[in-house]
């Protein structure tokens, strides 16, 4: 048939006077169009849909072969590619209108897997059918569960918000109540909070008890209109809306994977966070950050440009636009989408809308608890989780603070973590936790971390020490910015109004430092003073030694014996040099603190014990390195006389000075070689004479050991140096 | 406790009886006197001793219960002491071990046999690596300081932004207040009316919604009903 059409067309074209090429182009287009339409008309799936849209009410189900065949066809398409929006509208309308009785309704609902978007109109129609009231309760529950599952795929939400009241009326139905509350939570706006609705919820609460779903909805109402909800709601609620076992989830993910590219994504490129792999087809899955869309479909809003209406966040392309419209921005319905856009995060940070933060935290909590923990073990699942966590981390990094829901998740997760799943991301998330009051820090953080630390590999130990170092840095940075002179209270989080006093903050910091000191001591003993672990531990103490001068926190904590001595006896000069640098910085901090105390008479008083510890350390170092006097009375390191004598080392008291220290002996040998190349017999103690000694020290400093240089300069006064200078 | 009292009273009675008896027959009563009185006295002694023992036992019991809770309190201190001892022992061992090891290494390197030459080569390599590490560490330290500075500055900006936003809010509310003060009475009356009509509107909306729900009709199919039903949620005037 196509061929005959072709020939008749060609006859006509040969008779016509137009140019042959354009004619043939038009002809081929028309032909293609006609063929497509014919194919569609013959497509059995389309025919099946047609059947469902025109079947008359009252047609029997039992024994109806047409119905059975068509439904099987629809189901097959649904599970393989997903249903198009029109198909969803037709099938949903068919099911919810109960044209063929209640039996097919549940079956149809179960196979409604959308391929791309779900038209809002269809959902509204179905919700209205729900109120007509002949659908059995279990099917009603199924429908609401379906709406919740595909909520993010509904293309606009304004009509759903318009029928908020109708949806609310279902809350009295006991079986539907939890799911309706969840749906209402997702749709609520400030205008939806009315006195009679609050009253209704409180009535339900007295009937059903303090159910979590009621409490969540009431807490959202409270955020919007605190004067209407006088009920006290615990700030940390356990368990989000209980995630219903969703029969569609598995099928949905399978369909989406098969389809690959995400159709109809409305994220404009300017808004997306710098995504290096932007051209890669993104897999739309439940751990994916939802796309930033506006509440109403784009068509409706584009006409209204008057100054009264709100500008949806999705329409802003740049930071300038944000600044111009900052007072009339409309937040999207899905708060989780804010995490993907830097402009949106900036806005959220400035405005600090409590309801938005509440909903964002709620979504994040759900995503982390349900999706992340139960996302399965496949490689694709882990890569999805990895991407999600990376996005979350970049959002937190941008805001320079964490989210309360991710903190709560971490406290729970640490108890069940094995230490290796997504380790870098989890440790980064951990370092973003704000200051924890010292009464809770032990239980929440230290106990699970201790367990993990002592049963893990060397690399985990290093990673954890680094993470705690970052945490300390962030706490100190926060303190140095937010603790002003007059205020004794430091706010913990820019979102909440929780405050902590300066002394409480100091307690927490001290607990953290002591904890890391303890971990480091035992860790070094377990790992035999491994150089890598030692390096991370010294990193930590480099942060600690400067808390006063760099960050303005009046606190000085010395390293414990389990860290100091292994660092001093280290076999690589880099560690010893760093230790010297740290000691030098401690001295600078302590002297400056003492001076300030005398001048300003502030309430900063360093305890005597700190000074004693410091002196003890410095005396030990100088005695060993400079005076060649190890094992003096009062030193911490004192093996028995017999052991020392039996060790076979002559002059054991000089075995850790600058010449014989394991870290420096090769430099000494090298120096000796260079200084006295003619000598056959190496006599290292000849370096101890005053001139070669200063040359030797200069030689050491020339190798880059600034820490040693600073340490010696600040702790050793040399009359010999003065003599040397005169001689020169 | 009652026993000694009883024996006490018995004692008195016995004494009284003895006294009364003694006047009657001294010689014969002397033997009789010793046995019951003695027995009573012994009995009292024994009951005293029993009482003391009971007290002792109960005291020791309470002492024991004291010590378990005390032990629990002292546990962290003991653990700390244990760890200190372990650390000291570890440090001593480390010092001895390193001392011996590097003494022999040093002695070896002073010689000039091929093993020493190999050791020296390794040493030279280590020294070169150490200088390189030192360089990199200095760079890292410098960069880390810069990063910390930048983070501090950003955080400072954030704090200032929040302060400014708060100031702006305060200013706008103040401005609103000053404007309203002039027309206070009129505004209040207007506000009252508005509230009244809003309440009426909300109530009407509620009633209409109730009617629609009770009738159990599909209002979407009728265009007029649909138009009405879709406006039952919002108010034209913002709250």
């Amino acid at each position: 048939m196509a061929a005959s059409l072709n020939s008749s067309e060609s006859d006509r074209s040969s008779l016509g006077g137009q140019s042959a090429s354009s004619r043939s182009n038009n002809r081929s287009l028309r032909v293609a169009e006609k063929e497509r339409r014919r194919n569609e008309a013959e497509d059995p799936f389309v025919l099946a849909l047609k059947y469902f849209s025109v079947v008359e009410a009252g047609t029997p189900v039992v024994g109806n072969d047409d119905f059975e065949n068509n439904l099987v066809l629809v189901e097959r398409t649904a599970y393989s590619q997903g249903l198009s929006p029109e198909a969803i509208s037709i099938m949903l309308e068919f099911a919810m209108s109960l044209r063929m009785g209640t039996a097919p309704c549940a079956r149809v609902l179960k196979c409604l897997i959308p391929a791309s978007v779900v038209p809002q109109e269809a959902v509204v129609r179905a919700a209205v059918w729900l109120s007509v009231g002949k659908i059995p309760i279990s099917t009603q529950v199924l429908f609401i569960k379906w709406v919740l599952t595909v909520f993010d795929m509904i293309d606009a939400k304004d009509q759903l918000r318009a029928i908020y009241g109708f949806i609310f009326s279902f809350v009295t139905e006991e079986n539907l109540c939890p799911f309706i509350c969840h749906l209402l939570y997702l749709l609520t706006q400030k205008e939806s909070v009315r006195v009679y609705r609050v009253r209704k919820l409180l009535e339900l609460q007295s009937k059903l008890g303090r159910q979590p779903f009621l409490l969540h909805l009431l807490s959202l109402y409270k955020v919007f209109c605190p004067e209407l909800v006088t009920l006290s709601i615990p700030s940390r609620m356990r368990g989000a809306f209980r995630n219903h076992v969703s029969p569609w989830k598995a099928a949905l993910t399978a369909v989406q994977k098969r389809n690959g590219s995400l159709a109809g994504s409305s994220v404009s490129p300017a808004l997306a966070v710098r995504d290096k792999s932007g051209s890669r087809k993104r897999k739309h899955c439940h751990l994916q950050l939802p796309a930033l869309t506006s509440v109403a479909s784009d068509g409706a809003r584009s006409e209204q440009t008057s100054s009264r209406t709100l500008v949806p966040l999705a329409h802003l392309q740049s930071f300038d636009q944000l600044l111009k419209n900052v007072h009339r921005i409309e937040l999207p319905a899905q708060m989780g989408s804010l995490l993907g856009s830097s402009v949106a995060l900036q806005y959220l940070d400035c405005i600090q809308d409590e309801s938005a933060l509440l909903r964002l935290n709620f979504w994040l909590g759900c995503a982390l608890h349900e999706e992340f923990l139960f996302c399965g073990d496949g490689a694709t699942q882990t890569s999805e989780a990895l991407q999600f966590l990376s996005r979350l981390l970049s959002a937190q990094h941008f805001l320079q603070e964490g989210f309360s829901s991710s903190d709560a998740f971490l406290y729970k997760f640490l108890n069940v973590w094995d230490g290796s799943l997504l380790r870098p991301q989890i440790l980064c998330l951990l370092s973003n936790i704000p200051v924890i009051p010292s009464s809770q820090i032990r239980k929440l953080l230290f106990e699970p971390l201790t367990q993990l630390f002592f049963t893990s590999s060397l690399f985990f130990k290093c990673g954890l020490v680094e993470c705690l170092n970052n945490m300390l840095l962030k706490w100190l940075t926060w303190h140095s910015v937010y603790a002003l002179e007059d205020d004794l209270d430091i706010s913990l989080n820019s979102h909440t109004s929780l405050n902590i006093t300066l002394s409480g903050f100091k307690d927490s910091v001290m607990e953290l430092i002591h904890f890391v000191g303890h971990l480091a001591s035992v860790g070094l003993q377990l790992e035999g003073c491994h150089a890598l672990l030692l390096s991370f531990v010294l990193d930590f103490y480099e942060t600690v030694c400067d808390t006063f001068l760099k960050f303005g926190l009046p606190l000085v904590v010395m390293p414990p014996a389990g860290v100091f001595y292994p660092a001093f006896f280290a076999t690589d000069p880099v560690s010893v040099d760093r230790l010297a640098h740290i000691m030098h910085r401690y001295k600078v901090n302590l002297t400056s603190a003492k001076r300030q105390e005398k001048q300003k008479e502030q309430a900063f008083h360093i305890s005597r014990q700190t000074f004693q510890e410091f002196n003890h350390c410095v005396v030990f170092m100088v005695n060993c390195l400079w005076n060649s006097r190890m094992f003096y009375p009062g030193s911490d390191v004192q093996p028995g006389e017999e052991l020392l004598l039996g060790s076979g080392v002559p002059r054991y008291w000089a075995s850790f000075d600058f010449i014989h220290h394991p870290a420096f002996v090769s430099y000494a040998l090298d120096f000796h070689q260079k200084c006295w190349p003619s000598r056959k017999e190496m006599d290292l103690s000849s370096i101890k004479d005053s001139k070669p000694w200063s040359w030797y020290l200069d030689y050491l400093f020339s190798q880059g050991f600034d820490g040693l240089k600073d340490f010696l300069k600040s702790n050793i006064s040399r009359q010999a140096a003065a003599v040397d200078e005169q001689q020169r | 406790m009652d026993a000694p009292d009883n024996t006490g009273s018995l004692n008195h009675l016995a004494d009284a009886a003895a006294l009364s008896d003694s006047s009657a027959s001294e010689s014969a009563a002397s033997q009789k006197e010793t046995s019951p009185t003695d027995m009573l006295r012994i009995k009292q002694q024994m009951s005293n001793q029993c009482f003391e023992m009971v007290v002792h036992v109960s005291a020791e019991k309470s002492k024991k219960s004291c010590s378990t809770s005390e032990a629990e309190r002292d546990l962290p201190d003991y653990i700390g002491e244990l760890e200190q001892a372990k650390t000291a022992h570890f440090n001593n061992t480390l010092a001895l071990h390193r001392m011996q090891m590097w003494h022999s290494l040093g002695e070896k390197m002073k010689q000039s046999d091929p093993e020493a030459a190999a050791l020296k080569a390794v040493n030279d390599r280590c020294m070169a690596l150490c200088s390189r590490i030192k360089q990199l560490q200095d760079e890292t330290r410098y960069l880390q300081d810069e990063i910390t500075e930048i983070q501090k500055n950003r955080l400072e900006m954030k704090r200032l932004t929040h302060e400014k936003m708060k100031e702006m809010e305060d200013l706008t509310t103040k401005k609103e207040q000053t404007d309203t003060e002039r027309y206070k009475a009129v505004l209040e009356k207007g506000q009252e009316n508005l509230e009244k009509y809003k309440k009426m509107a909300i109530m009407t909306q509620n009633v209409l919604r109730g009617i629609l729900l009770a009738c159990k009709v599909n209002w979407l199919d009728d265009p007029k009903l649909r138009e009405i039903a879709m406006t039952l949620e919002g108010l034209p005037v913002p709250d």
Side-chain angles (χ1 to χ4, degrees), chain A residues 93 121 124-125 128-129 131-133 159 161-166 169-170 190-192 194 196-197 327 349-352 397-401 473-474 477-478 480-482 484 494 518 521-522 524-525 528-529 535 542 550-551 561-562 565-566 569-574 577-578 581 630-631 636-639 643-644 646-650 652 655-656 660-663 665-667 669-670 680 682-684 699 703-707, chain B residues 79 83-84 86-88 90-112 120 123-124 126-135 137-138 140-141 144-145 147-163 165-166 168-169 172 198-199 202-203 205-206 208-210 212-221 226 228-239:
Chain A
E93 178 67 21
E121 183 72 31
V124 170
R125 286 194 73 85
V128 174
W129 279 118
S131 65
V132 173
Q159 288 184 4
R161 283 196 176 150
I163 57 167
Y164 188 95
F166 290 94
S169 64
F170 292 114
K190 191 166 193 307
E191 298 79 43
S192 332
R194 301 255 180 248
Y196 57 86
R197 288 183 184 150
H327 287 292
D349 191 38
C350 290
I351 296 297
Q352 297 198 348
H397 192 69
F398 182 79
L399 290 176
Q400 283 190 289
E401 59 182 327
L473 262 174
K474 288 185 180 138
T477 315
W478 188 272
S480 67
V481 169
Y482 275 88
L484 304 169
S494 69
H518 173 240
S521 320
V522 186
L524 281 171
Q525 286 172 21
C529 299
S535 152
E542 269 189 36
K550 246 198 228 171
F551 298 102
Y565 291 105
F569 296 137
T571 56
D572 61 305
V574 177
D577 178 70
R578 279 178 97 185
H581 171 84
M630 211 179 157
F631 313 122
D636 283 337
V637 181
Q638 281 198 313
L643 279 171
L644 287 171
S647 66
V649 179
Y652 50 78
S655 53
F656 280 99
H660 298 99
H661 194 290
V665 71
S666 38
Y667 289 99
L669 287 168
D670 197 41
K680 290 283 169 141
M682 285 247 189
D683 179 21
L684 287 180
Y699 169 68
Q703 300 291 320
F705 297 129
D706 296 329
Chain B
I79 293 180
E83 288 194 348
Q84 271 179 16
K86 265 198 211 168
T87 314
F90 178 78
N91 288 337
N92 285 337
T93 318
L94 188 67
L96 267 176
H97 174 257
R98 294 264 158 100
M99 187 171 80
Q100 281 185 300
M101 186 78 173
W102 259 261
H103 172 74
S104 53
L105 271 177
E107 291 300 310
K108 187 71 189 173
M109 284 199 285
K110 282 186 198 166
Q111 300 163 7
S112 43
K120 274 189 205 142
N123 254 336
D124 289 336
C126 285
M127 287 201 286
L129 282 172
C130 281
S131 328
R132 182 89 186 103
I133 293 175
K134 204 53 214 157
Q135 263 183 330
Q137 271 187 351
D138 284 340
T140 318
R141 200 183 290 159
Q144 181 63 48
D145 285 343
I147 291 174
T148 318
E149 258 322 295
I150 293 176
Q151 281 186 335
K152 260 201 229 181
N153 288 337
R154 271 193 87 217
L155 207 55
E156 183 69 33
M157 291 280 163
K158 188 170 141 124
R159 188 182 67 87
L160 284 173
T161 318
H162 290 161
E163 260 185 41
M165 293 297 294
K166 239 189 241 175
M168 277 203 305
E169 269 181 49
T172 41
K198 260 207 262 182
K199 279 202 190 130
I202 293 177
M203 215 182 318
Q205 284 177 340
N206 211 9
L208 270 173
R209 201 183 302 128
L212 278 174
L213 281 170
C215 292
K216 297 200 190 248
V217 289
N218 189 340
W219 43 263
L220 272 177
D221 290 332
R226 184 208 161 103
I228 297 174
M230 281 301 195
T231 58
L232 284 183
E233 185 59 31
L235 290 172
V237 183
D239 276 340

Side-chain angles (χ1 to χ4, degrees), chain A residues 141-353:
Chain A
V141 170
L142 196 64
F143 169 68
I144 301 289
K145 276 194 197 173
W146 179 77
V147 174
L148 286 171
T149 311
V150 302
F151 189 78
D152 287 336
M153 298 167 85
I154 305 181
D155 53 5
K157 314 280 194 305
D158 53 335
Q159 288 184 4
L160 279 173
R161 283 196 176 150
I163 57 167
Y164 188 95
F166 290 94
I167 299 178
F168 191 90
S169 64
F170 292 114
V171 105
T172 44
E173 192 72 47
E174 230 179 278
N175 292 320
L176 284 179
C177 191
F179 309 103
I180 294 286
C181 285
H182 193 171
L183 185 58
L184 290 174
Y185 190 94
L186 295 170
L187 288 173
T188 308
Q189 277 179 308
K190 191 166 193 307
E191 298 79 43
S192 332
V193 181
R194 301 255 180 248
V195 177
Y196 57 86
R197 288 183 184 150
V198 175
R199 220 183 298 138
K200 185 109 224 150
L201 286 176
L202 291 173
E203 257 179 55
L204 274 175
Q205 209 182 46
S206 62
K207 243 203 297 174
L208 301 174
R210 278 169 85 88
Q211 299 284 356
F213 44 86
L214 289 171
L215 279 175
H216 267 101
L217 192 54
L218 279 168
S219 71
L220 185 60
Y221 278 13
K222 189 170 180 146
V223 165
F224 281 125
C225 301
E227 67 279 5
L228 290 181
V229 183
T230 51
L231 181 72
S232 74
I233 296 174
S235 53
R236 267 185 196 225
M237 279 192 279
R238 302 267 148 185
F241 291 107
R242 192 173 47 94
N243 203 19
H244 36 277
V245 171
S246 176
W248 301 275
K249 269 216 180 113
L252 200 56
T253 41
V255 160
Q256 280 160 353
K257 279 204 185 97
R258 226 167 289 165
N259 283 348
S261 59
L262 177 60
S265 163
S266 52
V267 173
S268 57
L271 286 179
V273 157
R274 329 131 204 116
D275 188 10
K276 288 183 193 133
S277 53
S279 57
R280 176 172 67 91
K281 289 180 193 158
R282 288 209 235 130
K283 297 206 184 128
H284 187 85
C285 57
H286 294 281
L287 270 182
Q288 177 81 355
L289 293 181
L292 192 61
T293 57
S294 47
V295 169
S297 49
D298 290 322
R301 285 283 181 189
S302 56
E303 293 123 30
Q304 299 176 354
T305 46
S306 71
S307 56
R308 286 260 181 91
T309 57
L310 300 172
V311 176
L313 205 52
H315 288 178
L316 296 174
Q317 310 286 345
S318 70
F319 192 64
D320 287 329
Q321 287 185 349
L322 172 67
L323 286 178
K324 279 186 206 144
N325 294 312
V326 79
H327 287 292
R328 48 195 184 101
I329 294 212
E330 180 193 47
L331 290 167
Q334 171 53 277
M335 280 303 161
S337 54
L338 292 178
L339 285 180
S341 149
S342 59
V343 172
L345 282 175
Q346 189 87 308
Y347 172 71
L348 190 68
D349 191 38
C350 290
I351 296 297
Q352 297 198 348
D353 187 1

